[in-house]
Every structure is written in C-alpha cells, then in structure tokens.
Amino acid sequence: MRTSTPPCGDLPWHQIDLRAVDAVAAHEIYTSWHPKGRDDTGVSQLLESIDNMPLGILLLAKVAKVTHLSAQALMDEYDKQGTLILGQGLDAESNMDVCIGLSVYSSRMKAHPEAFYLLCIISMLPVGTSYTMLSKWWARDLTSLVGALEVLQSTSLVEVRDSTIFVLPVIQRYILHPSRFLEQVRSSMLETASLALEDSNLEAVLLTAEVLAPHIIWDGFLTLTRYHWMYRPHVDLVVHGLALARGVDDPILRGDLLFCYGNIYLRLQQFDNALKQFNEALDIFLSLPDRKRSGECRLEINNVLLFRPEGKRKLREKFISEAKDDFEAIYNKSGTGRCLVALANLRDTTTRISVLKQAELVFAEANDRRRRAECALYLVRAYYNAIDYDSSYNFGISAIEQYESIGYPPHSAFAALARTLSARGDHESSLRHYLRCLEIRQSAGLSPQGTTLEGMGLIWVKLGKNTDARRAFEQSLEQYTSEEPSHITRNGVIRCLFLLRRLDDTGLEPTQVELASFRGRYSEDHINRILAPL
C-alpha cells in the first residue's frame, strides 16, 4: 500500500516515505526479470525516464522480455505511447495506467475538483516549483490551493522535497496524455508564462504552444529569449517563436525575434548565423519608421564584422556612422554614446582614449550605468595599449565596481584587468583575476575564452610552472579552434602553437607572422616581457 493517509486511523501505523530506488538497484530489478538487458548500454537512461520507480521498472522489463526490444527501442515506444506501454493487464500490479488511475480517480480527488486542475499545472513544470510560485503565478486563480495540494499529497500524486513540489516523470507522462490533460490549463499557463520567473519551467510551457496571441509572443518569447541572449544562450525557444510569428501580421515582432536570434548566435560565437539573422532583421527595421531598431541592428552587425573576414575598417565605419545618424535623429544619447565607443575602436590609441572619454560623458548624461561600465572597460584596454598601466588598472577597478553595482557579470572586466596586472609583472594577482573571470563565465553558462586561458598560460610560465602552462596553452588552442574562424581566433592559434613550442625550445624566436599575431593582442611593452628569455 502506498499512500499518505493510512486506513483505520486509530491504529498505530508505521509510515515509510517510499522513494525511487537508486540506479544500481533499478538496473538489478530490470535485469532480474530480463537478463538479456545486462549488456544493453541504454538501460540506465530508460529507467531514468520513469524515475527508477520499482513498478515501472518491473513492467518495462516484462515488455522487453516479451518483445525483445532494446532499451532505446523501448524509449522510442515510451515517447510515442506514454504510460500505455507499461503493462496491458487489468489490475494495478500489471498496468501502470491502472495503478496511477486508482489515485487520480479516487474519491478524495473527486471531492476536490481543483486537485486535478493543480495536478495538470504541476505536470507542466518539468523541474517542479515552490508553493510561493504556485500561489503567486502558476495556480493563482485556484480558490483553495492548500486544499488541492493536500489532496495531491495524500494520494501520492505529487512529491515535496526541500520545498520543491513536483510530479514524478511517469505520473507526469500519464497526466499529459491528450485524453486526460485539461487544455484550459495550458491556455492559462501560457498567459502566466510571461510573468513567471522560472527559466526552465517558462521555456517548457512556451515550447508547448502551437498558436499564440501576439501579446503572449511579445511578453513570453521576447522576455525569455532576451534572458537567454544575456545569460544562457541557446536557440531552441527563439526558433519556435519565429515559427509562430510567421502566422502573425506583425513585422516588428518578427524583427525583434530575429534580432534576439542574432544576438544569441553572437554570444555562441556562430558569426555566420548571427550575421544572417541581423541582416534579415535590418531589412525589416528599415521598412519601419522606428529608427532606434535599425540603429541597434547596425551596431550589432558591426560587432559581428569584427570577427568576419569581410569586416574591413571602412565597412564597419559605414554601419557605425549610419547607426549614429539613426540615434541622433531621435535624440537617443545612449545610442549615440555606443556609436562613439564603436568609432573609438577604429581609431589610433591616443584618439581612441579621447573619444571614449567623450562617450563616457554622454552615458553619464543619459544615466546609462551599464554602458558607462562598458566604457570604463574599453578605457582599461585603451590605456593598456597606450602602456599607461596605472590608468588601465584604475579604470579596471572602476569597471568591476560599476558592473557589480548593477548586477551585471563583470567577467570581461576581470579578464582585462588581469592582462594589465600581467603586463605590470603582478603575476599572482593577475592569475587570481583570470580565475575569477572563469568562475563568473561558468556560472553564466559560458565557455572559457581562449584569450583568458592563454593569459593564464603566460602567468604559469612566469611562475616557472611549465606543466600548468602547457595545459593552459593546449586548452586555449582547443578553444580557439572550436570557434568560428576569424582573425582573432587565427592569431590566437598562431600564438598558442608558438608558445607551446617555446616551452620545449626556450631560445625560440618568433617569425614575423607570429610576432604580428602577438601585436594583435598585446602592447609592445608586454610583448617584450612575454618574449624575454625564459
């Protein structure tokens, strides 16, 4: 008997919280019924799909024994049929649907109609949720959330672990079957999705949508795709949103989704795909009177061209100047300041610092704190190239403080400051800053940058730890070669190959090509320090 409410309440029953078995025990249960499954490498994944629940394991093993299907084939059938595959018997011991149905259609459930509605809601949330999120967002329209939740717990249809409320996968699959699931729940949750703050659940709900009203696409898809663009870049949701947007007569919506799409690809360093999405978005924005969107898009195209072979100075300056015209036409100071930053990066070192300081003032007037922090970061790099390491250091500290004050990941500022500290000869402090950069990127779901790993390798060399240096250069080389080809990655590959050879031949001198690759990354003073005799 599995229940939260024992019969004969006067008796002193001993209650045990039954959980799924562990992976080893699950495999043993399965193979004890189906010995041929011992050598099937897919069994573990199959059993995980039913959360290692003993009855489900037993029923799957019986099906495998009769049908001789592999674990992968059973997974495919489970995806198609759901819990129907888990036994065809007429009682709860031989049919998972009957077993679950005894709880779902029990008298307690029937006495509280909102309980099944709540069960449908929680089944839509793959990572579970909290009572606060249910009461505030997902199930806020229920008249008795506490009562419905108590019924679901008493019938063992939901689990509560560490304040997370969730439905076991096998029960979730049963409830989500079209013959049982309440479609009004899906509609209600789609309306709520744009307001909820649970990333994984929000995405899962939105990906079930087949037709959406425009405002839901705006609020839900754009909010979450912008979040993915900034923090956890991947493209699944925006692709689905674009497919839905084709059925909506709204060019701004489609252009905005394409713009997000391009930025996600830019974060993923897939520059060909990024340029394609930005160009499509720009074509749409140029047909609209809103010049802010066209200005934004032109600036992002400039960012992509930085990594592209056709990204010549004149072409980039053309897009930046056109963007600056767009922003000035609508008196957008923040946009104008960003164009100044972009133009500064095309100028010589002295002019660059002057233009960046001008941009910093514009951002201050616009009260754009994030862009002002970015401008401080650019000044870190500009002063580094000017071999004014003290000013570079001061702006580095300022950039980190500004980013942290607005809750924005300061990994780029840590990396820039680490390079400056390395040039000053403060190797241990430089290493700490590089490591902090890696930690922040990892927490944001970003892979380590080749330049960061390369910088760490240079520090290890200076500290006399050649084994660590070799590992860092090899990891940096792997990162550079995994990214889309650009002059930045090509120069990175050339540098790393030289630095690896130099570990074996300490007197090795760089060729002109190799020296040029260092000039694309380091100041002349720093290059001399790097190439000094080991």
Side-chain angles (χ1 to χ4, degrees), residues 20 62 87 155 251 340 466 524 528:
K62 288 182 176 180
T155 52
L340 288 171
N466 285 2
E524 286 295 329
N528 292 333

Side-chain angles (χ1 to χ4, degrees), residues 178-283:
S179 65
R180 305 181 189 97
F181 186 73
L182 300 175
E183 279 302 317
Q184 61 264 39
V185 171
R186 192 189 313 277
S187 300
S188 174
M189 292 183 75
L190 285 169
E191 292 283 352
T192 305
S194 62
L195 304 173
L197 300 175
E198 294 177 311
D199 180 22
S200 298
N201 284 331
L202 173 55
E203 181 172 358
V205 171
L206 290 172
L207 284 173
T208 67
E210 296 180 0
V211 178
L212 289 179
H215 77 277
I216 297 178
I217 301 181
W218 272 104
D219 295 340
F221 281 89
L222 285 176
T223 297
L224 190 53
T225 52
R226 283 169 178 152
Y227 172 81
H228 288 165
W229 153 21
M230 297 300 295
Y231 298 105
R232 301 194 182 279
H234 67 88
V235 300
D236 295 348
L237 188 68
V238 71
V239 170
H240 189 55
L242 280 167
L244 295 177
R246 291 191 187 99
V248 180
D249 184 19
D250 192 332
I252 295 179
L253 170 58
R254 181 166 174 77
D256 283 349
L257 284 169
L258 285 165
F259 183 74
C260 288
Y261 202 179
N263 271 291
I264 290 172
Y265 273 129
L266 182 57
R267 287 292 300 278
L268 292 171
Q269 297 182 329
Q270 297 182 27
F271 304 118
D272 286 345
N273 288 329
L275 190 60
K276 179 177 182 295
Q277 307 308 324
F278 284 136
N279 280 329
E280 287 187 27
L282 183 58
D283 287 343

Side-chain angles (χ1 to χ4, degrees), residues 9 50 198 211 226 251 379 417 476:
I50 58 168
E198 294 177 311
V211 178
R226 283 169 178 152
L379 282 164
L417 184 52
S476 176

Side-chain angles (χ1 to χ4, degrees), residues 327-342:
F327 289 123
E328 288 178 342
I330 56 175
Y331 306 102
N332 186 315
K333 286 185 175 294
S334 182
T336 302
R338 289 162 58 206
C339 293
L340 288 171
V341 169

Side-chain angles (χ1 to χ4, degrees), residues 108-121 139 141-149 151-152 182:
R108 295 210 70 189
M109 288 287 287
K110 291 177 180 177
H112 201 305
E114 285 188 332
F116 186 72
Y117 192 95
L118 179 59
L119 181 59
C120 290
I121 289 175
D141 294 330
L142 295 190
T143 58
S144 180
L145 174 58
V146 172
L149 193 56
V151 170
L152 293 179
L182 300 175

